[in-house]
Amino acid sequence: MVLVKTSERVGRVPPSGIRKFFELAEEREDVISLGVGEPDFSAPWAARDAAIASLERGQTSYTANRGMRELREAIADHCADRYDLDYDPGEEVLVTTGVSEGVDVALRALVDPGDRVAMVDPSYVSYRPGVLLADGEPLPVRTREEEHFRLTYDALQRAGASEADLLILCYPNNPTGAVMREEHLEPVAEFCREHDLRVLSDEIYADLTYEGEHTSIATLDGMRERTIVFNGFSKAYAMTGLRLGYALGPAEGISAMNRIHQYSMLSAPTTAQHAALEALESCEEDVEEMVRAFNRRRRFVLSRFSEMGLDCFEAKGAFYVFPEVPGNDGTFAEGLLEEQGVAVVPGSVFGGAGEGHLRISYASGLPQLKEAMNRMEAFLA
Amino acid sequence: MEPKRELLEALCANARTDTADLARQTGLSESEVEAAIADLEGEGTIRGYQAIVDWEEVDEDHARAAVELNVTLDRETGYAEVSERLAKFPEVSSLHLVSGNYDFLMIVEASSVRRISRFVSEKVAPVPEVTQTVTHFVMETYKEGGIEMNGDDDDDRLSVSP
Ligand SMILES: Cc1ncc(COP(=O)(O)O)c(C=O)c1O
């Protein structure tokens, strides 16, 4: 007898393509994993200490739905300083339980049944399910290695995105590590203005931009009013487990998101909010140091790939590189795990345009990376 | 970041990194790395390379003390002269002029507490400029050169995550 009848909606969401590799990797002892989507660092001690202190003070209640006022102010200041993003902490900032929750409530607040939601292909695995759960129709927009996996005006056109209602952007990109500078974003912004697309811009890797500065699409002409920007503490501050992020957007958008957030979440984790406040106030140097360490690893891995003859465009963001491999990416990844004990994620997990590639995370120590690269080289030989 | 500064940071993270890996990490060629390190060494920016040892793990006695020193100076003798004299002793592993209640903070290492006591009383205290010494024996070392002695480096992340 079926005790629990599940919804048709949840049936639309396929199980995670990453699960299989997780299980294979967990079976073995000697695995070096380059399949991890989070930093190997711990959160800066000052931030952890602030979280502990808040617990000692007994600050264990809910906060305002939108997040502690002080934190929203600090977020607004930080984003204005760093990214030229000016948002009012009262009306235009929502503190969320990770960017994950932010994107989810945004989709639910902005998508009507049947709305088409264009998204960069390949990109982070949660967008498609998020759109499906919001009764929207995902529309992948393929990006190409020859164009450094940037989204272009033509790609949007070709995919039929002029008919879409929303576009989900993710730069610096997971899984490719691609970045889009202002000159690359402008044609995309033009497309959005012409076809009246609203934009959800997941900028969680913004601080992990190498050789140059991150630009948010919301800073381009006519984009602020149609964009929700997402960022958070998981990647740059190595705070994944604390589950804290934020959304910035026009008051109506943020208020609609908060309508859902106030019922489904009430407020983001209080302890994490205290950590985040401290992170913004005093951890800039920790972040810079981690970013420099990531950059050294990035160069190391890229140069090892070029030595072993693997084609890989020069990713300048996040902590991923996305080399092309011979044959089927899934088969390659399984073989690499089986023969050499190196876990990676096949590119096709992130969308059709990722086929034939591997997502390699360099969020691991150099000794591990060095050993993993040697094993990959042996596997290719 | 400037390439030399980048190299310094990479070496501070692990001084045993070989030239080829330093080149890969910094984007310089191997010969550029060699040249930059030669410069850094030549100009005295890099003064040496050492291992960070947890002496608890070595089957041998080892003692360490932080010694506070007060000195008196005159027209002929400044801090530089005194420090030069003290630094020459191999027992002295580091020596700093510091602000606050005393002048020098000196770290002394030897094979036993007794040897350190003798060293301080027989070699340091008699230095004419030294007016006072206070010796603090190190009882436990928790962190050294940025490395936590009991830090566990277990990776408890999920092995594969999105
Ligand atoms: C592009 C992207 N967005 C969002 C997330 C999830 O972030 P959070 O921990 O803030 O929910 C990830 C995590 O891997 C990501 O890669």
Side-chain angles (χ1 to χ4, degrees), chain A residues 37 98-100 124 127 170 174 202 204-205 234-235 243, chain B residues 162:
Chain A
V99 167
S100 303
Y124 183 52
Y127 306 142
C170 173
N174 177 5
D202 180 348
I204 193 165
Y205 294 102
S234 285
K235 312 295 172 165
R243 312 304 306 123

Side-chain angles (χ1 to χ4, degrees), chain A residues 37-38 97-101 103 124 127 170 172-174 202 204-205 231-235 239-240 243-245 320 359, chain B residues 161-162:
Chain A
E38 59 180 323
T97 304
V99 167
S100 303
E101 191 227 347
V103 171
Y124 183 52
Y127 306 142
C170 173
N173 182 269
N174 177 5
D202 180 348
I204 193 165
Y205 294 102
N231 203 337
F233 296 86
S234 285
K235 312 295 172 165
M239 281 171 42
T240 42
R243 312 304 306 123
L244 208 74
Y320 309 109
R359 188 194 71 172
Chain B
S161 57

Side-chain angles (χ1 to χ4, degrees), chain B residues 81-100:
Chain B
E81 285 74 28
V82 183
S83 74
E84 228 169 276
R85 191 156 174 187
L86 293 167
K88 291 274 186 288
F89 291 111
E91 289 87 345
V92 174
S93 64
S94 58
L95 180 64
H96 313 273
L97 181 65
V98 295
S99 63

Side-chain angles (χ1 to χ4, degrees), chain A residues 66 69 72-73 76 87-94 251 254 258:
Chain A
R66 288 167 186 252
R69 175 83 202 186
R72 276 180 285 142
E73 281 169 3
Y87 289 87
D88 167 27
E91 303 275 324
E92 299 181 316
V93 177
L94 178 66
I254 292 296
N258 187 39

Side-chain angles (χ1 to χ4, degrees), chain B residues 17-36:
Chain B
T17 313
D18 62 31
T19 306
D21 281 347
L22 287 170
R24 293 181 181 112
Q25 286 179 43
T26 54
L28 301 172
S29 68
E30 291 191 35
S31 54
E32 286 169 329
V33 168
E34 300 275 13

